[in-house]
Amino acid sequence: MTTSPGPSGYRGRFAPSPTGDLHFGSLLAAFGSWLLARRAGGRWLVRVEDLDPPREVEGAARRQLDALHAFGLEPDEEIVWQSRRPTLYEAALQRLLDEGRAFHCHCSRTDLATVSGIHRRCVARHTRPDPAVRLRVEDGSVVAFDDAIRGHVEQDVSREVGDFVLRRADGFWAYQLAVVVDDADQDITDVVRGADLLDSTPRQILLQRALGLPTPRYAHLPLVLGPDGRKLSKSDAAQPVDPADPLTTLRAAWLRLGQAPQALAEARDVPDLLARATTAFDSSRIPPRDGAPHEMS
Ligand code: GLU
């Protein structure tokens, strides 16, 4: 793919799955990743992660893109749709299979329940016509990285996750494989997203190493929790954001990112608000903790 780095070389992205309308938590990820890219003088891309048709909601991708437009968050390059890129994932998977780093696996969820759900060797009782493909995770695969917001993160992927799925038994591509292939293909230098994906990052780093791809920098934004203390989720039909009232929502997201409230108080419209936000944004104020929308750092 032809990409252009932008003057600073920084390339960020927002990668929503179309499993529902944008809610406040996903808007926070969009706005946060946009602000960090703008502040760095970089580019900001949008990638629709539409690889899981059973979980997709009809029309959600279009509504998410319309909402981003209403919030003034315009991608700097053409939008990428994962459903149109199977050949890229196929090539990466084939390479891992050829090199013996990935293997076909007939284990079902029930089989794995006998070993705490963590795959270290096949325990399948039956062969399936449609085996999944997993990455072989060597014993002692401890992955550490420094997150720009959360600090030092370390995970023993072999013990805590095990050999993980790259292509599912139902034939769909696993998020972990597609995200790694696409971040590299789009030359993403900075992955900024919700902290619900913090746990996936060590798997993605292992996969980058297995494929000989560079590891981007990571920043995981605080999660927005609902009144029950759980993360808001698009598929739970959590409160969608109201694109008809972008100023109120952007101001609320700005506060949740720990930023100075007065900086946007006098913004007249969306372009004016975004211009003020770009000037005033201070990434060191982003709180490393999750919380309800009204909670401050
Ligand atoms: N598609 C994922 C989601 O909507 C985000 C993936 C990512 O940012 O790496 O939760």
Side-chain angles (χ1 to χ4, degrees):
M1 152 168 288
T2 322
T3 59
S4 116
S8 71
Y10 181 113
R11 291 174 62 84
R13 62 15 166 224
F14 174 57
S17 305
T19 51
D21 287 0
L22 277 198
H23 59 72
F24 187 70
S26 37
L27 177 77
L28 196 76
F31 192 29
S33 60
W34 183 90
L35 281 164
L36 279 151
R38 283 287 168 275
R39 238 354 238 199
R43 293 192 165 248
W44 184 74
L45 316 187
V46 172
R47 181 171 72 229
V48 178
E49 300 209 320
D50 53 345
L51 282 184
D52 195 353
R55 289 187 59 233
E56 265 164 45
V57 171
E58 179 74 28
R62 195 67 265 157
R63 288 197 300 278
Q64 290 178 343
L65 296 176
D66 289 348
L68 289 178
H69 178 71
F71 289 106
L73 306 175
E74 305 289 356
D76 294 316
E77 291 174 15
E78 209 178 305
I79 292 169
V80 162
W81 298 73
Q82 286 192 322
S83 57
R84 299 178 192 168
R85 298 154 67 81
T87 43
L88 283 178
Y89 314 134
E90 192 65 66
L93 187 77
Q94 198 53 52
R95 191 169 146 197
L96 294 168
L97 283 166
D98 290 347
E99 291 173 357
R101 291 171 180 268
F103 62 97
H104 288 96
C105 172
H106 294 267
C107 296
S108 67
R109 215 166 273 195
T110 321
D111 295 328
L112 288 174
T114 61
V115 288
S116 319
I118 294 180
H119 191 288
R120 298 308 293 136
R121 62 185 176 83
C122 281
V123 291
R125 285 161 303 170
H126 309 285
T127 54
R128 323 169 117 190
D130 52 356
V133 178
R134 291 179 185 269
L135 186 80
R136 163 75 57 217
V137 177
E138 301 299 336
D139 286 342
S141 293
V142 178
V143 175
F145 67 100
D146 287 312
D147 186 87
I149 298 167
R150 300 259 161 164
H152 187 75
V153 177
E154 207 170 288
Q155 188 184 60
D156 183 337
V157 182
S158 41
R159 268 208 359 224
E160 294 174 43
V161 180
D163 305 318
F164 58 89
V165 172
L166 303 175
R167 193 178 63 206
R168 294 162 20 183
D170 58 13
F172 293 121
W173 296 104
Y175 155 68
Q176 308 293 355
L177 178 73
V179 76
V180 162
V181 167
D182 283 332
D183 282 338
D185 183 66
Q186 296 186 277
D187 294 322
I188 298 301
T189 59
D190 290 77
V191 171
V192 180
R193 59 187 177 192
D196 51 325
L197 291 164
L198 194 59
D199 219 38
S200 285
T201 305
R203 261 171 281 177
Q204 293 172 17
I205 294 174
L206 266 189
L207 207 38
Q208 287 151 4
R209 291 178 186 163
L211 288 164
L213 300 172
T215 291
R217 289 179 288 262
Y218 287 96
H220 286 87
L221 298 167
L223 293 185
V224 181
L225 305 180
D228 56 357
R230 287 180 44 224
K231 150 181 147 52
L232 295 185
S233 123
K234 293 194 280 290
S235 44
D236 280 353
Q239 283 293 304
V241 286
D242 181 4
D245 186 13
L247 294 188
T248 304
T249 309
L250 285 167
R251 284 195 180 103
W254 178 254
L255 289 188
R256 192 62 196 85
L257 289 169
Q259 305 300 305
Q262 65 280 9
L264 306 186
E266 284 166 24
R268 294 179 305 275
D269 51 24
V270 171
D272 183 38
L273 180 144
L274 293 178
R276 289 169 191 256
T278 304
T279 313
F281 183 62
D282 175 358
S283 61
S284 70
R285 294 181 63 133
I286 301 175
R289 287 194 323 270
D290 305 331
H294 61 274
E295 282 172 346
M296 297 282 301
S297 45

